[in-house]
Amino acid sequence: MLLLAVDTATPAVTVALHDGESVLAESNQVDARRHGELLLPSVDAVLAEAGVKLEAVTGIVVGVGPGPYTGLRVGLVTASTFASVLGVPVHGLCTLDGLAYAAGAAGIEGPFTVATDARRKEVYWARYEDPRTRTGEPAVDRPADIAERVAGLPAVGQGAVLYPDVFPDAREPVHQSAAALAALAAERLAAGADFLPPTPLYLRRPDAQVPKNYKVVTPQ
């Protein structure tokens, strides 16, 4: 097993290579505006550090969100393209699940919340019973609207850092890690568990909209 994991659903451009037992190499850069510029060089760097060729990869793991429209699709298109060219499967995982799994590695055990920045003064979030068990589907809400539902729980992710009034017990990790995503995928593959399709989990309409009324610029 040799899994190449990527995730661009958050400001983190994160890539990792996992052999089914441990992470061989990883790259993590936080830049919300340069997903398209940073992802492929990060893949090259990770493969070079591990000393393997892309052709050796046996599966692609990708975070499917939730996340903003533009950044999220960079990772999904790249993952699907790699899978198609290599003739290997692509395994989709919820980005929040990757953060939850990383939180477990950082020491969180009991119920907690994962919250990432959804912009527009909102967060993508979900509650977890433990690092492997999400309770319910991911959602997007204004932090104040979910304050009672997350009260008293530790929280991880950038959303928790941005809104300390709602998430006073913010903990590591803040950003997504493809290494954690790959480790979770390896565990799920060994257990024969199902994966999500490599399609985006947006939860709301994209920020960019087609204008309803075009401005006339030609002479009447």
Side-chain angles (χ1 to χ4, degrees):
M1 181 187 297
L2 192 60
L3 301 175
L4 176 65
V6 301
D7 198 323
T8 59
T10 70
V13 180
T14 179
V15 179
L17 197 65
H18 197 286
D19 66 0
E21 295 184 359
S22 62
V23 175
L24 302 180
E26 63 179 303
S27 171
N28 301 288
Q29 301 179 75
V30 179
D31 192 327
R33 297 181 180 275
R34 299 178 65 211
H35 293 90
E37 297 175 47
L38 297 175
L39 182 56
L40 288 180
S42 296
V43 171
D44 287 341
V46 165
L47 291 171
E49 181 181 342
V52 302
K53 300 292 186 180
L54 181 61
E55 293 77 9
V57 170
T58 62
I60 308 295
V61 180
V62 63
V64 303
Y69 179 77
T70 303
L72 175 55
R73 64 179 181 172
V74 170
L76 287 166
V77 169
T78 301
S80 295
T81 301
F82 280 155
S84 178
V85 170
L86 297 173
V88 300
V90 56
H91 309 293
L93 285 173
C94 174
T95 294
L96 302 183
D97 290 355
L99 273 160
Y101 191 84
I108 294 183
E109 296 179 354
F112 63 95
T113 303
V114 175
T116 60
D117 182 18
R119 304 174 186 172
R120 302 186 194 175
K121 298 181 179 180
E122 295 178 331
V123 293
Y124 297 117
W125 71 284
R127 284 185 51 160
Y128 288 80
E129 203 56 42
D130 58 57
R132 294 174 178 81
T133 309
R134 175 163 32 92
T135 57
E137 296 300 316
V140 58
D141 290 289
R142 289 184 176 272
D145 294 340
I146 61 172
E148 291 185 4
R149 299 165 68 181
V150 301
L153 297 177
V156 302
Q158 190 180 30
V161 175
L162 290 173
Y163 302 100
D165 290 345
V166 175
F167 305 102
D169 189 6
R171 304 186 188 181
E172 295 287 340
V174 174
H175 295 291
Q176 172 69 315
S177 161
L181 199 70
L184 175 59
E187 188 175 289
R188 291 178 63 84
L189 281 167
D194 294 329
F195 288 85
L196 298 173
T199 54
L201 184 61
Y202 290 131
L203 299 187
R204 70 181 184 201
R205 299 178 66 85
D207 294 332
Q209 300 288 334
V210 176
K212 294 181 179 179
N213 298 306
Y214 291 96
K215 181 179 179 181
V216 176
V217 295
T218 55
Q220 297 293 325

